[in-house]
Amino acid sequence: MIDLKKLEVWFITGSQDLYGEETLKQVAVDSQQIVKALDKSAKIPVHIVFKPVVKSPAEIFNTFQDANVAKNCMGVITWCHTFSPSKMWINGLKILHKPVLHLHTQFNRDLPWADIDMDFMNLNQAAHGDREHGFIMSRMNVNRKVVVGHWGEDDVQEEISVWARAAAAWFDFQTLKVARFGDNMREVAVTEGDKVEAQIKFGMSVYGYGVGDLVKIVNEVSDKDIDKLVKEYMDVFEVAKAGKPGGEFHTNVRYQARLEIALKNFLKNGGFGAFTTTFEDLHGLAQLPGLASQRLMADGYGFGAEGDWKHSAMVRAVKVMGQGLKGGCSFMEDYTYHLNPKGMKVLGAHMLEICPTIGKGKAKLEVHPLGIGGKADPARLVFNVPEGPAINASLIDLGTRFRLIVNSVDCVKADADMPKLPVARAMWVPQPDLKTGAGAWILSGGAHHTAFSQAVDARYLEDFAEIAGIEFIHIGKNTTISDIKKELRWNDLYYRFGK
Ligand code: MN
């Protein structure tokens, strides 16, 4: 996956010439100190890079022009230590193509009560300088994140980190290639969409392949390579007896190893970061890729079943955002319900393809029949998901625009064991409750497929949607049905006329 440590955010401090050399020198020194602290912060996973203080239209334009083409620059932070008149920023903002975070901070945290004089007032003007800065971005409709507070505080660094991780996923999206083996699951609507528009909007591109292209390299995988990978499976997973060497289903396990090796080679050689499969197009494959898809997701690849390229891309994006954080990310489906009024909950799963990064404890490797698709019994990993907060994120194409819907959920323990359930599963209660959460989701048109994560929360996806310039709907603890209905109708108007 993309290495966050190699990515840069440029820190650009605004000022103007009329303060004189001494004050401007101090502005630069203070900015460097802030940059140093942010760059060193354990909370922020990317490099924060100091750029010389900008004081004129030309300096601002040139700095933004450089940011646009700098290979590892994935976004900019702007801040006005002093006043920096906003007309100077217009031509620069017109050409800036990178995500923006406006940090509304001040070098001094505390007022120097006993010593404050006019020199101090002259130097520390963010309280009004940043308002001038905010005005021009609002006037020019610049999508941005605004973070308020002292730069040394944990919550401020955390908010910068959330945005930086969303910006990293956006950076990855600009060159993301999704390989699609087979087309859509026939007749399914929500997994379809406008791939050309998606490329224009998000940068990522979707490449279709006949499953025969994959079959060819599946058949070329050597027994030696399969032996090696199967040995790894036996070490890493708790393998059922029938799946072990000599067992009744060992050949089924070996076949998934063959699929994993072939898929990985295909994706690596083609520079793909995500892929889809569909059980309706498996010509020449003996099994649906189950364990193979699970393992590739764990390796950082996005995945979508049934041709779902949008959620494959979203799984990839959320994996990039959550890199190094506690909790994983998986392709997910709201599968079945427990509707007992004493504790309604959702059982999330898929036919096979749930990523083990979201699992609790050692995953079990099992082989079971698949009641759909008419192929051999596939090997798959079976596990539970730990309790705690999580999100489900769904990207849909409404024909005229994309909408990103996020439901904050709380993962809970199952009420009882499910010894006969042959797939990995998560149990959760949607916020604010199942009735409202599911109702709001359905009114929003959210898909049955999602990117599920316990590593990130709704803030990351909100920043991502802001950077992408797409509609964002959050269903959380304050959601009501009548509010969401109004929000959806107002958004309709905004996207029809406002943009
Ligand atoms: Mn599905």
Side-chain angles (χ1 to χ4, degrees):
M1 219 175 349
I2 191 166
D3 185 359
L4 297 180
K5 285 194 196 85
K6 286 190 178 147
L7 299 179
E8 296 177 356
V9 171
W10 288 11
F11 192 99
I12 300 164
T13 307
S15 190
Q16 60 182 334
D17 277 322
L18 63 83
Y19 294 104
E21 211 174 311
E22 203 179 318
T23 301
L24 286 171
K25 213 182 259 172
Q26 195 57 48
V27 167
V29 168
D30 293 348
S31 297
Q32 273 164 312
Q33 193 175 325
I34 294 175
V35 169
K36 211 168 161 192
L38 297 181
D39 189 47
K40 272 194 177 159
S41 165
K43 282 195 174 295
I44 300 173
V46 300
H47 275 306
I48 310 293
V49 177
F50 173 79
K51 289 286 150 184
V53 176
V54 290
K55 308 171 295 298
S56 68
E59 286 174 3
I60 293 163
F61 184 89
N62 292 338
T63 305
F64 281 170
Q65 196 171 42
D66 291 348
N68 279 340
V69 295
K71 223 174 154 202
N72 292 330
C73 173
M74 56 158 209
V76 300
I77 294 176
T78 60
W79 170 55
C80 299
H81 192 322
T82 60
F83 200 78
S84 182
S86 277
K87 280 178 73 206
M88 299 196 314
W89 289 75
I90 292 173
N91 287 352
L93 287 171
K94 263 163 79 178
I95 59 143
L96 181 65
H97 295 305
K98 299 277 165 105
V100 190
L101 182 149
H102 178 184
L103 179 60
H104 183 44
T105 192
Q106 180 170 279
F107 183 71
N108 279 60
R109 192 190 67 179
D110 299 340
L111 270 184
W113 304 100
D115 302 321
I116 187 164
D117 57 13
M118 223 42 219
D119 284 346
F120 182 90
M121 298 285 274
N122 221 15
L123 180 64
N124 296 285
Q125 299 187 335
H128 64 279
D130 272 335
R131 285 168 206 259
E132 166 78 357
H133 195 56
F135 164 74
I136 202 63
M137 292 215 221
S138 288
R139 167 80 195 254
M140 292 175 71
N141 253 321
V142 177
N143 284 14
R144 79 278 196 192
K145 171 153 180 166
V146 178
V147 174
V148 182
H150 189 258
W151 49 273
E153 298 293 326
D154 271 359
D155 62 330
V156 168
Q157 294 185 4
E158 158 97 11
E159 282 182 74
I160 293 171
S161 170
V162 168
W163 171 83
R165 288 173 172 279
W170 181 251
F171 185 83
D172 183 62
F173 249 37
Q174 303 317 300
T175 53
L176 178 64
K177 292 168 70 181
V178 184
R180 204 157 174 254
F181 298 107
D183 200 88
N184 206 53
M185 180 177 167
R186 290 182 272 281
E187 302 278 24
V188 176
V190 77
T191 47
E192 280 287 7
D194 185 339
K195 302 185 206 75
V196 175
E197 189 58 29
Q199 188 168 350
I200 294 168
K201 198 85 210 164
F202 299 108
M204 53 111 157
S205 51
V206 183
Y207 293 72
Y209 291 93
V211 73
D213 293 328
L214 180 60
V215 170
K216 190 173 165 286
I217 60 165
V218 165
N219 294 337
E220 284 166 1
V221 175
S222 75
D223 281 332
K224 211 178 107 202
D225 288 344
I226 296 174
D227 291 346
K228 208 174 134 203
L229 187 56
V230 167
K231 193 178 168 296
E232 188 184 329
Y233 292 168
M234 299 298 144
D235 291 344
V236 177
F237 306 118
E238 193 183 318
V239 184
K241 207 175 155 203
K244 285 190 172 153
E248 187 188 352
F249 291 123
H250 185 63
T251 50
N252 302 48
V253 174
R254 289 184 63 86
Y255 190 74
Q256 287 290 333
R258 177 183 286 280
L259 287 174
E260 180 182 334
I261 294 164
L263 272 163
K264 198 169 190 171
N265 284 342
F266 190 102
L267 298 174
K268 246 191 184 162
N269 294 338
F272 295 101
F275 70 108
T276 72
T277 59
T278 173
F279 68 87
E280 282 191 330
D281 189 356
L282 294 174
H283 264 295
L285 292 182
Q287 300 173 19
L288 177 67
L291 172 62
S293 298
Q294 294 179 293
R295 292 265 303 173
L296 287 163
M297 261 190 277
D299 211 24
Y301 290 97
F303 172 80
E306 292 109 43
D308 193 340
W309 53 273
K310 292 195 299 297
H311 289 96
S312 177
M314 282 313 298
V315 168
R316 166 70 178 198
V318 174
K319 280 183 179 290
V320 171
M321 289 176 208
Q323 240 184 116
L325 298 176
K326 193 172 164 276
C329 166
S330 178
F331 176 70
M332 186 58 78
E333 180 166 313
D334 290 78
Y335 218 102
T336 195
Y337 284 143
H338 180 63
L339 285 184
N340 187 319
K342 280 184 193 147
M344 293 191 193
K345 44 187 83 74
V346 181
L347 193 162
H350 203 256
M351 288 190 295
L352 305 166
E353 311 93 334
I354 299 297
C355 177
T357 57
I358 66 168
K360 178 163 83 173
K362 206 172 186 179
K364 288 186 192 144
L365 204 169
E366 301 177 8
V367 179
H368 299 279
L370 191 64
I372 197 163
K375 290 282 173 176
D377 305 347
R380 80 287 305 270
L381 297 172
V382 180
F383 51 84
N384 292 299
V385 170
E387 292 142 72
I391 51 138
N392 277 308
S394 172
L395 180 66
I396 59 167
D397 181 352
L398 291 168
T400 49
R401 68 179 184 275
F402 292 98
R403 174 183 286 160
L404 181 61
I405 304 144
V406 173
N407 189 191
S408 299
V409 304
D410 294 294
C411 290
V412 294
K413 254 200 186 126
D415 296 11
D417 282 345
M418 296 174 279
K420 291 186 175 170
L421 185 66
V423 289
R425 77 299 296 257
M427 299 284 328
W428 66 76
V429 181
Q431 288 185 10
D433 54 73
L434 190 143
K435 278 170 80 84
T436 313
W441 186 272
I442 283 168
L443 285 167
S444 307
H448 55 285
H449 286 166
T450 59
F452 169 96
S453 176
Q454 290 186 316
V456 306
D457 56 40
R459 296 171 302 167
Y460 294 76
L461 279 301
E462 181 169 359
D463 285 355
F464 183 80
E466 185 72 26
I467 291 167
I470 61 165
E471 183 183 0
F472 178 73
I473 297 288
H474 178 216
I475 302 164
K477 57 180 191 299
N478 298 319
T479 296
T480 68
I481 291 294
S482 74
D483 282 349
I484 206 96
K485 279 161 76 177
K486 278 179 265 184
E487 184 176 353
L488 291 167
R489 286 183 180 132
W490 292 337
N491 285 0
D492 258 340
L493 282 178
Y494 171 77
Y495 284 93
R496 241 166 260 241
F497 303 115
K499 264 280 167 192

